[in-house]
Amino acid sequence: MNIWHLPGPSEFLGAVERSLRDGESVILRFPEGSPTGFETALSVRLADCGPLGRVEVNTSATLSTGEPLCQLMEQFAPELTAVSDLTAVDLCEAEGFGGRLIWIEGLQSGICPAWQTFLENYAQASRNVSRLRRTLFVAPMGTEKTVASGRDVALKVHDWAGVVDEMDLVFLANHRLRTRGIEGTLRTLLVMTIARVAAWDCTIAERLAEAGPDDILDPMQLLRSAAQERGWTSETLPSVSRGTESGAGVTHAALAAIREPGEIQRRMWSAQVSVLLPVVELHRLAIVREYRHQIVAELRRDGQKEDAEALEVGELAFLLSRAGFDDDVASRAEALRRARNVLAHGKPLMTSQALVLARSASNTRHQAGRPDGES
């Protein structure tokens, strides 16, 4: 599954497509480290409009306000070379310039007032050109660029921040793990761990989805390696523009791993609670139904209500520790009690514990659903 097929990114891509089809040039505000491939995905969406033209820009701080116009003229409208005091209106009306889609490459690297001024002036000028003849620009920038825009000037800003959420990463991780042949509750646990840990970053989610189950359930080393590759240290501050924080204030997983590892532990715990607490309950019910007659006899002997299924896992483990019960079932119940207690105290299970529970869930689900009295 391509990232741009996920619900959030696909909706973002669709919004940009609609702006262009409505005759608006677009500013794309991408933080550092955003997913690659947007240009290709957009080209596919707009295949009926012809290929994207491309201009590599100079973003020097000393660039004069007239240089973007001159560069575009030389590349796309050489017939204007004789025009003195060239304006955006001249470019819009040039015979050979109309009807294009042009990708502006290079504005991500730094604020460039000359190109920002050009885009604003061009948007104003292009209003007087019919949509069919209007050349439009696609300009990816960083998040700190300040471009005044509004629908009335044929220029629209699209912010990437907040586009990807947990459900996008669930779709992505589930697809990647399914293609690896990982099934059942183990896949559910790994999917939720990837989605909760990565939070909003597709790149980290993809990297986790390529790792083994042990590394997904204990991702600290992988995340710290990712931070090192990006040049992040414990001194790096969360920032939307640098891609170290989401628009909602959620720290990037790789940065959290070196600045606040407890946050990663909480994300892991959240995933395990959502998947493994129901598994603990299934195990408990399976044990109760397998040993119902002995359990009821013990409850009767203690003068307690003979409702075996009402026993919570700690009570069940204590009862099964008595003489007369198989050591194996007593050990199983005690392991469930310990797992439940760890999760109940806000901590993730050790990787080995989590794997054992997840891998045993399918057989346990069958036993827990078995009709009473069936052997």
Side-chain angles (χ1 to χ4, degrees):
M1 175 182 286
N2 186 296
I3 284 173
W4 299 104
H5 293 155
L6 298 174
S10 179
E11 184 178 338
F12 179 83
L13 184 60
V16 174
E17 178 190 0
R18 287 191 297 275
S19 288
L20 292 168
R21 291 190 184 277
D22 286 344
E24 298 172 319
S25 290
V26 296
I27 303 295
L28 309 176
R29 287 163 46 97
F30 286 118
E32 292 179 25
S34 295
T36 59
F38 180 83
E39 183 179 358
T40 299
L42 184 63
S43 295
V44 171
R45 289 277 191 120
L46 296 171
D48 61 309
C49 299
L52 277 176
R54 190 178 181 86
V55 57
E56 300 279 345
V57 305
N58 174 8
T59 57
S60 168
T62 60
L63 198 68
S64 72
T65 56
E67 286 188 60
L69 269 171
C70 291
Q71 182 176 353
L72 291 166
M73 174 198 68
E74 291 172 2
Q75 186 169 345
F76 298 104
E79 68 271 22
L80 292 179
T81 51
V83 177
S84 60
D85 298 323
L86 185 69
T87 68
V89 173
D90 296 321
L91 189 64
C92 286
E93 295 178 350
E95 187 65 30
F97 185 71
R100 301 174 184 269
L101 284 175
I102 299 175
W103 180 276
I104 303 178
E105 182 62 36
L107 295 179
Q108 301 97 320
S109 59
I111 296 175
C112 185
W115 275 96
Q116 291 189 66
T117 298
F118 163 75
L119 287 169
E120 292 168 353
N121 290 342
Y122 178 83
Q124 290 279 359
S126 69
R127 288 185 301 171
N128 299 318
V129 179
S130 71
R131 291 183 183 181
L132 291 177
R133 292 193 60 253
R134 188 182 301 171
T135 284
L136 301 174
F137 292 94
V138 182
M141 294 183 174
T143 61
E144 294 179 350
K145 314 305 186 291
T146 54
V147 179
S149 67
R151 298 191 66 87
D152 61 321
V153 294
L155 181 63
K156 184 69 179 293
V157 174
H158 293 271
D159 278 293
W160 176 254
V163 166
V164 177
D165 63 18
E166 181 180 295
M167 290 309 300
D168 291 305
L169 300 188
V170 166
F171 276 109
L172 176 64
N174 188 59
H175 175 76
R176 298 294 166 85
L177 295 179
R178 177 184 284 138
T179 61
R180 292 175 54 186
I182 299 174
E183 299 295 343
T185 302
L186 176 59
R187 187 173 77 200
T188 303
L189 175 61
L190 298 179
V191 164
M192 291 309 302
T193 300
I194 291 169
R196 295 278 167 86
V197 168
W200 48 268
D201 188 273
C202 292
T203 304
I204 289 296
E206 286 192 304
R207 190 161 176 174
L208 283 168
E210 293 170 358
D214 286 20
D215 290 325
I216 295 173
L217 295 175
D218 185 10
M220 285 298 191
Q221 186 56 48
L222 183 151
L223 295 175
R224 287 169 178 159
S225 294
Q228 185 176 25
E229 291 165 10
R230 299 178 187 209
W232 298 345
T233 70
S234 59
E235 303 302 314
T236 301
L237 297 176
S239 162
V240 173
S241 63
R242 286 205 61 186
T244 53
E245 183 180 62
S246 74
V250 179
T251 303
H252 190 282
L255 184 61
I258 55 177
R259 278 181 59 92
E260 43 184 326
E263 170 61 20
I264 300 300
Q265 292 288 316
R266 284 188 288 274
R267 296 182 194 183
M268 292 162 55
W269 165 80
S270 175
Q272 290 187 10
V273 164
S274 67
V275 178
L276 294 181
L277 275 185
V279 173
V280 169
E281 175 65 8
L282 286 171
H283 272 284
R284 183 191 71 82
L285 284 173
I287 291 172
V288 165
R289 291 178 179 180
E290 186 176 358
Y291 293 89
R292 177 184 299 280
H293 297 303
Q294 288 175 266
I295 291 171
V296 169
E298 287 296 317
L299 291 173
R300 187 181 298 124
R301 196 166 12 259
D302 291 344
Q304 297 183 47
K305 185 178 180 181
E306 299 173 17
D307 186 356
E309 291 195 6
L311 291 173
E312 61 94 27
V313 70
E315 296 170 327
L316 180 64
F318 177 75
L319 187 147
L320 295 178
S321 68
R322 299 178 181 180
F325 284 95
D326 184 88
D327 288 342
D328 178 64
V329 71
S331 296
R332 285 161 53 197
E334 177 59 21
L336 293 178
R337 184 192 68 80
R338 289 197 299 267
R340 191 281 315 270
N341 284 354
V342 170
L343 293 173
H345 285 86
K347 297 179 181 179
L349 299 177
M350 292 190 300
T351 299
S352 58
Q353 284 180 292
L355 287 172
V356 167
L357 270 178
R359 285 170 171 155
S360 65
S362 296
N363 184 54
T364 302
R365 186 173 289 108
H366 170 73
Q367 292 182 32
R370 189 176 59 198
D372 292 345
E374 182 179 324
S375 59

